[in-house]
Amino acid sequence: MNESELDAIVIGAGFSGLGMLHSLREELGLNVKVFEKGSGVGGTWYWNRYPGARCDSESYIYCFSFSQELLQDWSWSGKYPEQPEILSYLEHVAERFDLKRNIQFNTTVTAASYDEETNLWHVETDQGDRVSARYLITGIGCISTGNIPDIPGLDSFQGDWHHTGSWPHEGVDFSGKKVAVIGTGSSGVQSIPVIADQCAELKVFQRTAQFTIPARHGSIDQQFIEEEVKPNYAELLEKARWSAGGIPVDFAKRSAFDVNDSERQAIYEAGWKEGGHRFIFGSFGDITSDLKSNATASDFIRSKIREIVQDPLKVEKLLPMDHPLGSKRALIDTNYFDTYNQEHVDLIDLNEDPIESITASGIQTKSHSFDFDIIVFATGFDAMTGSFFKMDITGRQGRKLKDDWSNGPSTYLGLQVSNFPNMFMITGPGSPSVLSNMPVSIEQHIEWIKDFIEYAEDKGIDIIEAEPEAERDWGKHVNEIAEKTLYMQANSWYLGANIPGKPRVFMPYAGGVGTYRKQCVEIAKEGYPGFHLSKHDSLNVAVAD
Ligand code: NAP
């Protein structure tokens, strides 16, 4: 590849980067280079190798849709795809479509700056690369910069510690070990039961008790795949694309109050038995929008916690009382609550007994000193903006993305930022991706960006740039939609609430992937209103406010 003739630089080789590379190279014939920090493809699934890691989307719909042959040939083994299998899938995609020849691994992009004179993005890496291209596309994931809380004394800890989001590739041997897990979000809820099975003693440090529903994970239903999925993949995927959450299922429309108490109880019991997110979307249409309806589902889950967990002291700590179901990321689990019935598993409520420091031998809380061999941080991520801020991204006239987003991220459609021409984001803040089945959102972004670049190239347009007004309107729209949801009722990473000092801005678009797609399609049809499209000349240097 002749690097002096690069058309596009893509950052990241997860679902987003692989799909973008394939699309730009195969459909537009562009010369593309991908930089990837890891030694292999996979993104999230390369780094998150913690015990029990798997996706909450059912496997048949957690995939690329650009190749019918790929859809027909690939077979998942589990109902939900587990991390090693997702990684194999992405490896397979990279090999099958010969993507690795355009990917430079073990390379972290450190800086990217837009040059108004040449209309090029100049990219620098930690390996000393200095390359330029017309388009810069970030596929850096939205949950990829780990949050390790600033607890005094971590440096002094004599044991091992790991964050779930950068798990050692060789695995961690928990046998005979005293283990602490801090955090009970998706990663904690998945890893706690598996770690408990392997270690001598486990103490879970919980800040917020969680609602979680049994996943009922198991082998994939081959008959369902062969008879209902593979012959109908095109229709299923189309349904997913226009749905709220990127999955091809029908949501219940009835209200929780359209039925009497015993009918409602029976519906929740059936949902609990079936498991997974169907408990929410298959039962009542207003659980996620109406607090009273939500309370019936929240109460049902609390009753299940009381039923499963034997120790009344643990029950009290495990009951989520401070936020409604679904206002934080909805969780599904395997044996999460049952795990607390094991004698070697204990739970520390950080609201009663906060961590004061990490010591050479373990964790010091306000009232106890605990010894540990291993501490697991399942403490989440500096989501949506953290990975952008790790790079020094400079737009027109030296503007820094970090400064422009100091009060929270601001984008048009989650795809572009004013004053950063020809830079596109896949799953950026303001897009619905994190509230959906990711590959469906990612492919929508990829397709839309590819179409836009094709449109611009056909018309001789050199500069694509979101207009500040469109960006402001989109931010307002994202906010208005969020205000109507129950998401505003919890301290979650969607709002940046997990990172001390981070601006409280609801970052994802909560209007649903179908509604979002419709707006994107209309904008494309109308010739991309809200974007300033221009030919490059070296005087085109005006900065938009
Ligand atoms: P998370 O949802 O942000 O959970 C982090 C946990 O750590 C929370 O319990 C949080 O408590 C706690 N915590 C954070 N800082 C703390 C501190 N200083 N002291 C004590 N506790 C602290 O992170 P995650 O579990 O890694 O999941 C992040 C997202 O990744 C998920 O929401 C999901 O979108 C994605 N994910 C998906 C899957 C899947 O598909 N199954 C699996 C893993 C991750 P608070 O609740 O009080 O903040």
Side-chain angles (χ1 to χ4, degrees):
M1 177 171 50
N2 182 348
E3 294 193 350
S4 62
E5 290 171 16
L6 277 179
D7 297 309
I9 295 168
V10 175
I11 312 175
F15 262 100
S16 300
L18 293 177
M20 195 75 247
L21 164 61
H22 180 264
S23 173
L24 292 180
R25 196 183 75 186
E26 301 304 317
E27 295 177 69
L28 299 188
L30 298 191
N31 195 356
V32 186
K33 177 157 187 154
V34 178
F35 288 111
E36 167 55 52
K37 181 179 170 189
S39 62
V41 299
T44 286
W45 302 106
Y46 174 93
W47 300 104
N48 285 264
R49 299 174 188 234
Y50 61 84
R54 64 168 185 254
C55 181
D56 287 354
S57 296
E58 291 188 27
S59 51
Y60 76 92
I61 199 70
Y62 196 74
C63 55
F64 283 115
S65 70
F66 65 77
S67 160
Q68 275 308 312
E69 294 76 21
L70 175 64
L71 283 168
Q72 294 301 325
D73 292 351
W74 185 262
S75 296
W76 296 100
S77 63
K79 177 177 174 188
Y80 298 99
E82 298 185 0
Q83 177 272 331
E85 206 169 9
I86 305 174
L87 196 55
S88 306
Y89 171 75
L90 292 171
E91 272 288 340
H92 171 79
V93 170
E95 294 293 339
R96 183 173 182 141
F97 298 99
D98 190 19
L99 298 177
K100 287 189 183 172
R101 71 182 150 94
N102 298 106
I103 306 174
Q104 181 173 321
F105 293 106
N106 301 307
T107 306
T108 301
V109 169
T110 51
S113 62
Y114 176 69
D115 180 343
E116 288 169 283
E117 286 290 318
T118 58
N119 188 35
L120 289 174
W121 276 94
H122 301 304
V123 165
E124 298 177 17
T125 76
D126 65 346
Q127 300 302 308
D129 302 281
R130 300 286 179 270
V131 286
S132 305
R134 277 179 295 146
Y135 303 106
L136 175 69
I137 301 158
T138 62
I140 53 181
C142 23
I143 345 178
S144 26
T145 294
N147 163 42
I148 297 163
D150 188 14
I151 304 172
L154 181 56
D155 286 351
S156 69
F157 182 55
Q158 297 295 302
D160 295 330
W161 64 267
H162 307 284
H163 185 274
T164 49
S166 50
W167 202 255
H169 287 199
E170 63 281 11
V172 176
D173 183 3
F174 289 106
S175 50
K177 299 280 172 31
K178 291 182 178 176
V179 181
V181 175
I182 306 176
T184 52
S186 302
S187 308
V189 159
Q190 284 188 332
S191 58
I192 285 163
V194 186
I195 294 173
D197 278 351
Q198 298 171 9
C199 71
E201 210 175 277
L202 173 64
K203 291 200 168 25
V204 176
F205 291 79
Q206 171 193 275
R207 188 164 71 180
T208 305
Q210 292 276 12
F211 292 100
T212 164
I213 296 152
R216 310 289 180 210
H217 181 45
S219 310
I220 202 157
D221 179 346
Q222 281 303 344
Q223 195 179 350
F224 168 67
I225 297 297
E226 295 308 325
E227 291 176 10
E228 292 180 46
V229 175
K230 290 207 171 172
N232 303 310
Y233 242 138
E235 295 83 36
L236 287 168
L237 286 160
E238 195 56 10
K239 187 168 178 177
R241 288 181 192 116
W242 294 98
S243 69
I247 47 174
V249 293
D250 294 317
F251 281 52
K253 292 202 171 47
R254 65 192 162 199
S255 159
F257 296 105
D258 286 345
V259 295
N260 66 32
D261 290 356
S262 64
E263 285 167 334
R264 191 183 313 116
Q265 187 71 9
I267 288 165
Y268 284 142
E269 283 290 355
W272 187 263
K273 203 168 162 202
E274 187 178 359
H277 292 307
R278 281 169 204 265
F279 173 84
I280 297 180
F281 64 71
S283 51
F284 301 105
D286 54 356
I287 291 180
T288 53
S289 56
D290 180 83
L291 267 178
K292 274 190 169 166
S293 299
N294 184 288
T296 64
S298 299
D299 283 346
F300 177 86
I301 297 178
R302 285 191 282 261
S303 75
K304 285 292 176 194
I305 299 171
R306 288 192 187 93
E307 205 176 290
I308 298 168
V309 181
Q310 289 151 12
D311 176 348
L313 289 176
K314 286 182 183 168
V315 170
E316 284 313 306
K317 293 176 190 168
L318 285 166
L319 290 178
M321 303 303 291
D322 66 352
H323 65 283
L325 167 67
S327 56
K328 286 166 98 81
R329 163 69 148 73
L331 306 184
I332 64 175
D333 70 275
T334 297
N335 299 331
Y336 178 66
F337 293 120
D338 301 83
T339 299
Y340 292 99
N341 289 331
Q342 299 180 44
E343 284 209 349
H344 71 295
V345 179
D346 206 355
L347 180 66
I348 288 91
D349 181 348
L350 294 175
N351 301 299
E352 287 170 8
D353 195 10
I355 296 176
E356 290 194 332
S357 63
I358 293 181
T359 62
S361 59
I363 293 179
Q364 177 68 51
T365 62
K366 197 172 159 203
S367 49
H368 286 91
S369 180
F370 299 98
D371 287 347
F372 294 113
D373 302 305
I374 302 172
I375 300 174
V376 173
F377 288 94
T379 41
F381 299 86
D382 183 356
M384 310 218 73
T385 52
S387 300
F388 283 100
F389 293 166
K390 274 186 167 172
M391 300 180 283
D392 180 15
I393 302 181
T394 312
R396 283 190 188 282
Q397 297 205 337
R399 289 176 85 120
K400 302 284 181 191
L401 187 70
K402 201 169 182 171
D403 295 337
D404 281 9
W405 284 6
S406 58
N407 293 323
S410 172
T411 71
Y412 183 32
L413 298 169
L415 289 161
Q416 257 220 342
V417 185
S418 60
N419 288 309
F420 295 80
N422 293 347
M423 180 180 99
F424 294 94
M425 298 170 292
I426 305 174
T427 73
S431 97
S433 53
V434 290
L435 301 179
S436 75
N437 175 32
M438 276 282 191
V440 169
S441 283
I442 287 171
E443 282 200 315
Q444 184 274 342
H445 295 336
I446 289 171
E447 194 184 302
W448 196 88
I449 293 168
K450 183 267 297 171
D451 286 349
F452 201 174
I453 290 177
E454 186 173 25
Y455 173 91
E457 305 253 310
D458 285 351
K459 294 219 165 345
I461 290 161
D462 307 306
I463 304 176
I464 301 173
E465 185 174 2
E467 289 170 355
E469 204 183 341
E471 192 176 294
R472 267 196 297 272
D473 289 348
W474 184 252
K476 219 170 130 213
H477 179 55
V478 168
N479 199 42
E480 279 166 3
I481 291 197
E483 289 291 342
K484 290 183 200 148
T485 69
L486 299 186
Y487 289 124
M488 305 308 273
Q489 309 268 335
N491 289 325
S492 70
W493 61 259
Y494 298 140
L495 271 160
N498 61 329
I499 304 293
K502 192 165 171 171
R504 292 275 177 122
V505 174
F506 190 82
M507 294 179 282
Y509 173 74
V513 297
T515 314
Y516 172 82
R517 172 178 281 267
K518 188 160 176 269
Q519 295 175 77
C520 289
V521 167
E522 274 161 17
I523 287 167
K525 261 196 208 147
E526 289 165 16
Y528 300 97
F531 291 93
H532 184 67
L533 306 179
S534 58
K535 290 191 192 299
H536 175 252
D537 63 63
S538 56
L539 297 175
N540 188 357
V541 292
V543 179
D545 290 325

